[in-house]
Amino acid sequence: MLKILHKREVAPRIHEMVIEAPDIAAKAQPGHFVIAMADEVGERIPLTIADYDRAAGSVTLVLMTVGVSSTKLSRLNEGDSLYALIGPLGHPSEMGNFGSVILVAGGVGTAPVYPIAKKLHELGNHVTVIQGARTKDILFWTEKMAGACDEHIVVTDDGTAGRKALVTEPLKEILEAKAAEIGCIWIIGPAIMMKFCAKTTEPFGVKTFASLNTIMIDGTGMCGGCRCTVGGQTKFTCCDGPEFDAHAIDWDSVLKRQQIYKCEEKCAMDRYVATWQQEQ
């Protein structure tokens, strides 16, 4: 169990892993996440389930290497096994037939957006996906995403793929043309992107969900590291989310929370690199 069946680098520093986990695959739903551990002394890393195959008994995870624990996970190879994989956790995405929906995927946010788009499409919604990245090199799953929606719009900040634009531009254009037809919107990606997407959709009054999975730490509500303010109330992303009403989130506090452990993360990474170099 927990064997890595397939692994590939889909973009620089972004790794896709298909893991044998039949119990998790049997219950996984769009929006769920898991806790992964590379080894016995590794941190607990929360990762959104990017895809699942109940028949094969596998789940797909996508991670970007940022710190020590994500680097440890990325260095596992096909045939290796994770030390632990716990889930599915969190509340699943709200599913239904909303008519027309828009999903905005920014960067690694493509991974959690994919299963939501796929399920909404299966339920008969007209699904539009706006997929964005800084540059062509870090775009991934474009063909896979196109197969899970009715309209696929690709944008990059530098214009190296698709349209040269921020994701907020086509989002605003669609809403200006047919906001009354849009039943729901999902925005998943960097916090700053989600903040401005929320500001874009709010004047149109369209229900908008945002996932705060990036601020989760231990994934069980024990550490309190994923506290956020939603509608004036304190919420824990891992227990109460990870998706919330994007118009009710205090985005400034979310952005500040992401900076809390930067120093500790850098120190840990420096120690890990130094130790790794000594062992080579």
Side-chain angles (χ1 to χ4, degrees), residues 260-276:
I260 290 177
Y261 302 106
K262 288 294 182 183
C263 181
E264 289 83 357
E265 289 169 353
K266 183 180 184 304
C267 290
M269 193 62 187
D270 288 345
R271 286 195 301 270
Y272 176 73
V273 170
T275 302
W276 182 78

Side-chain angles (χ1 to χ4, degrees), residues 85-142:
L85 192 68
I86 305 164
L89 300 170
H91 294 281
S93 303
E94 184 176 324
M95 291 288 111
N97 194 326
F98 304 101
S100 291
V101 296
I102 303 173
L103 295 96
V104 183
V108 186
T110 291
V113 162
Y114 173 75
I116 301 173
K118 181 181 176 182
K119 186 65 175 181
L120 288 169
H121 195 252
E122 290 173 356
L123 291 172
N125 293 278
H126 182 279
V127 179
T128 298
V129 173
I130 302 170
Q131 184 178 1
R134 292 192 309 276
T135 186
K136 177 182 179 179
D137 291 343
I138 55 175
L139 271 174
F140 66 95
W141 283 13
T142 50

